[in-house]
Every structure is written in structure tokens, then in C-alpha cells.
Amino acid sequence: MAAQRIVLGIESSCDETGAGLVSGGRLLGHAVASSMDEHVRFGGVVPEIAARAHVHALNPVVREALDDAGLRMSDVDAVAVTTGPGLSGALQVGLAGAKALAYGLGVPLYGVHHLAGHVAADTLEHGPLPNPCVVLIVSGGHTSLLLVRDLVRDPIVHLGDTLDDAAGECFDKVARVFGLPYPGGPAVDRAARDGDPRAVAFPRPLTGPRDDPYAFSFSGLKTAAARWAERHRATGTDLPVADGAASLQEAVADVLTRKAVAACAAHGVGTLVVVGGVAANSRVRALAEERCAAAGITLRVPPLKLCTDNGAMIAAVGDLLVRAGAEPAPLDVSIDPSTPLEYAALHPVVAGAGRAAAA
């Protein structure tokens, strides 16, 4: 019976308000509302604007997800919600709404780590994760290589993380220098279609023999791209944006996929899972396919609609927790905006202080 329980997932960590419904590993329906258009003129997400947008969008998005699944609120058997990391005000809106729904329905509530949600998103398309697998999480705020066994029962092992800027942050900041719109990742991807990826010899950070083999650093690449643009503009000629975008994208994809494939080989793992917003980048996906095929590694990447933030991925973790018999969150569960990824469940009881994360 547990496998048939319907879990409602709510995501509100940044500028997307998401709701999704999952049962037995199957996505039943989901909906997303984005406040991105309200942030464009600022060149990045404004936390207060994002939080207010979540307040307005949460109820309509939950209703839309239920309609998409052909369900009623009374059909929901559990609620899962992102409790960190993310923007504090945005997380508070999602948690408050999730608590109200869970308590009103009399069903258990589960706190979920946002990044574990990205990992679980792939299960909605490709089924259970192999045990073990290597996961590359790459987004606007996070770039990490993980060794994942049982996602909701075992601790998540960090093989490497970004030391400074994440890959998506690099795209956003360089796009602004290039005169491309926000968000930078999709804009760079579009511009790169008409460019030559070999036109500019951008550096490949942390790829030397003495460097940490699985750590990432994109701050130097961001600076190199900015200096290239400055030097070119100083000549009084138009900036070849397409070539710059293609070369930047190639550098990021090269570093990401090179390290991910190396991690699989070093740990004897036959499956690489690439998730997060930057997993939607066309060159990252293509180069990952090419290198995984050459190395005999199975590549799994969620469909584009599940790469960016959404409620379905949070529901997917909640569904796994329910089926694993995990303890629900306590009544005083709070948020932890800057928590590292250690476990899929995240049940902090005091914001910014100790947490009890268990699966």
C-alpha cells in the first residue's frame, strides 16, 4: 500500500514556485510558476521580490498540479517541501504553505534538501538510481560531484565541490559582460549556436596534475572571459559575442564532463547522472554523451522540464522517503538556507542551528 501513496511536493527555494505529485516513483502531474521576468531588469534574483511572488503563486500552482494529475486535495497522503538551501524568505513561504496543507489534511510532512531533489528528478524519467552512481549537480548556485548509493538511506559522499563560482553563476555573470540577457545560461547557449568554440582559448580551471581532481573553480574562467571582452572592445570593434559564448560554453562543458567521467572511472561506477539547471545546456549534454559513450559509461540526464527547479523533484524525494519508512519532520521543522548536502531528508528545528537529517 505504501507504494501507492500520493506525495505532494512543494519547491520555493529561489524564483520558481513548483508543485508536483508523485506516487510509487511515477510523476502524476506538476506545475511551475516563475518570477524570472520580474528579476530581469536587476540582472539577478531579488530575494524580496521572489518571496512575494511565491506568496501569490503557491496556491494556484498547487491547484494546477492537482488538476494536471486529475486529483483532489483529499487524495494527498503526504507533503514534502524544500527546507534548504535557498533564499530564506522564499523557503519560509514554501514551508508555511506545506505545513498548512499537511496539518489541514492530517498527513505527514517531510523536509527535503533541494539538491537531493535535483538528483531524484532523474528517477521520474529513468527509474531507480543505480547503487552506486556518480552524480554531477550543476546549477546557478551549486556545482558538485557526488557518490550516491541509496539516496534516502545512505549519507551522500562529496567527491568534489566548487571552490568559488558555480558553473551557472559563471554563465550569468559573463553573459552580462557580453551584453546578453538574464538568465545567462540559456542566453549563452543560444548565442553559442552561431559561434566557433575554438575561437577563444579560455582556460580550463583546476585540470592540472597537482590540482584536486574533482574540485571545480569557475571564478578564473569568468574573469578571463571578462578581460577578453574588455580587450576586444578597447580596439573599437564589435564584440564577437557568438564566438565568445561558444568558447566559454566549451570550456565549462569540458571541465564538467572531464571530471565527471574521471570520477566514474576512479570509483568503478558505470552510471553518470547529470542534473540541475545547467544540465539543460546543449553542449554539456552533448559532450557528456560523447565522453560517456567512449568510456563505456551509462549517462542519465532528466528531461529539460525537470532540470530546472520544480515541485516534482521534491515530491520524488518525498515518495522515496515514504516508501523507505522514514520518520516525518517534527512539528517545529524550520528552514536551513545554507545547509550542505548530507542526506536527502532535511528536518532542521532551529534556523541556522543544529539539524536532524535522516532517511
Side-chain angles (χ1 to χ4, degrees), residues 209-230:
R210 296 184 181 180
D211 291 319
D212 186 328
Y214 308 127
F216 298 96
S217 170
F218 293 102
S219 179
L221 175 59
K222 173 194 68 180
T223 301
R227 295 293 175 267
W228 170 79
E230 289 173 2

Side-chain angles (χ1 to χ4, degrees), residues 50 74 151 212 223 322:
S74 58
L151 180 61
D212 186 328
T223 301
V322 167

Side-chain angles (χ1 to χ4, degrees), residues 4 32 52 98 103 111 114 123 135 163 173 185 195 203 254 269 312 328 338 344:
Q4 300 304 313
V32 177
R52 290 177 181 271
Y103 300 159
H114 174 77
T123 68
V135 177
L163 304 179
K173 291 180 175 178
D254 181 21
V269 173
S338 58

Side-chain angles (χ1 to χ4, degrees), residues 83-84 88-89 91-92 95 99 332-339 346-356:
T83 46
S88 178
L91 290 168
Q92 291 282 15
L95 178 58
K99 281 185 175 183
D332 57 349
V333 64
S334 185
I335 63 167
D336 193 340
S338 58
T339 184
L346 179 64
H347 298 162
V349 294
V350 179
R355 67 182 76 91

Side-chain angles (χ1 to χ4, degrees), residues 188-342:
V188 168
D189 201 353
R190 289 191 298 270
R193 295 171 190 166
D194 299 320
D196 178 0
R198 297 175 298 277
V200 188
F202 287 138
R204 272 48 171 175
L206 293 186
T207 54
R210 296 184 181 180
D211 291 319
D212 186 328
Y214 308 127
F216 298 96
S217 170
F218 293 102
S219 179
L221 175 59
K222 173 194 68 180
T223 301
R227 295 293 175 267
W228 170 79
E230 289 173 2
R231 289 193 302 269
H232 201 94
R233 286 187 173 121
T235 66
T237 58
D238 291 338
L239 184 70
V241 172
D243 286 346
S247 299
L248 174 73
Q249 183 171 264
E250 188 68 21
V252 171
D254 181 21
V255 172
L256 291 173
T257 58
R258 185 190 308 191
K259 287 176 177 276
V261 169
C264 290
H267 290 83
V269 173
T271 301
L272 171 64
V273 185
V274 183
V275 299
V278 180
N281 179 272
S282 62
R283 185 53 184 158
V284 170
R285 295 169 82 96
L287 194 54
E289 289 176 4
E290 177 185 320
R291 287 180 167 170
C292 282
I297 296 168
T298 300
L299 175 66
R300 293 176 37 155
V301 186
L304 296 180
K305 67 179 181 179
L306 296 178
C307 286
T308 52
D309 294 350
N310 61 85
M313 69 186 197
I314 305 305
V317 178
D319 174 62
L320 290 171
L321 291 168
V322 167
R323 289 191 279 153
E327 286 293 320
L331 295 177
D332 57 349
V333 64
S334 185
I335 63 167
D336 193 340
S338 58
T339 184
L341 175 58
E342 297 171 349

